[in-house]
Amino acid sequence: MTYCTGKSKAIVEYSFGDSKPKKFETDLVPIEVETVQPGNSGVCWRFAGQGVNNSAMYEYFACGTSPSYAFNGTGYNLYMDGVILAGSSYEYKAGTNSVTQVGGMSPTSGYITSGNCDCLAECEIKVLKDGQIIFSEKGVCPLTFHVTCDDDCPEGSHKCTHNKYPGYCCVPCKEVGDRLKNIANKIR
């Protein structure tokens, strides 16, 4: 989508995950904004346990929403969302198996590891001018952004004059409306 046609500058405000918003400002207008947000859903899980045929401990990392084990007669196979992981030969000895949600592939010292945490892939924002990338950044998903042009306020906000620099402020309409509604309810 093209932003700021006929304007003198564009300001892209964006944030990754729970991080504080950042701004990118350019006078190379109009601009286009592209985002890359991997579609893999779920979280990363660490399966751990002792192998059935030896005493070694193993870890396996996988993304999904419902991790589990299933007994196959000799050991426990790893499953994610009802699908077997790493083939039927990868199994843990009963009573040694565990599964925990993790924030990344951080193997426990001494474990043999495999699998991956693709669901933790990064999102990316790209700002383009005439098809050429003039700015890009990657970060933890999800990614949100909005674009303002010149001294306009973002959609869903109102511009109010102000005696301090830059001479105006943008007031979010929904937030102010909710506050007024809350005050009215307290008065009643």
Side-chain angles (χ1 to χ4, degrees), residues 21-185:
K22 296 180 180 180
K23 288 184 180 181
F24 170 74
E25 187 173 323
T26 182
D27 51 3
L28 299 173
V29 290
I31 62 166
E32 293 179 21
V33 178
E34 293 180 0
T35 61
V36 178
Q37 301 196 49
N40 197 349
S41 62
V43 294
C44 190
W45 300 87
R46 176 192 290 127
F47 293 84
Q50 183 178 357
V52 170
N53 296 323
N54 60 40
S55 60
M57 297 296 286
Y58 299 94
E59 289 180 310
Y60 191 90
F61 295 87
C63 292
T65 56
S66 181
S68 61
Y69 289 94
F71 188 67
N72 67 10
T74 58
Y76 283 84
N77 293 123
L78 296 61
Y79 283 80
M80 181 61 73
D81 300 328
V83 178
I84 192 168
L85 300 174
S88 59
S89 61
Y90 201 102
E91 56 187 12
Y92 292 138
K93 187 181 290 185
T96 67
N97 52 318
S98 66
V99 62
T100 53
Q101 182 178 333
V102 294
M105 286 182 62
S106 300
T108 303
S109 178
Y111 275 45
I112 299 169
T113 63
S114 58
N116 63 60
C117 286
D118 284 343
C119 56
L120 302 175
E122 292 182 312
C123 286
E124 183 177 14
I125 185 167
K126 298 176 188 176
V127 179
L128 300 93
K129 168 67 176 160
D130 297 327
Q132 300 296 313
I133 298 172
I134 58 172
F135 173 79
S136 71
E137 187 172 337
K138 293 181 179 181
V140 175
C141 296
L143 162 64
T144 58
F145 79 94
H146 68 267
V147 178
T148 56
C149 306
D150 294 335
D151 292 331
D152 295 341
C153 287
E155 189 176 314
S157 64
H158 180 73
K159 188 173 185 176
C160 298
T161 57
H162 195 280
N163 59 358
K164 293 184 181 175
Y165 179 81
Y168 70 93
C169 64
C170 297
V171 180
C173 298
K174 182 177 178 353
E175 185 179 313
V176 172
D178 289 346
R179 285 183 186 166
L180 291 172
K181 203 180 296 180
N182 198 11
I183 291 169
N185 288 336

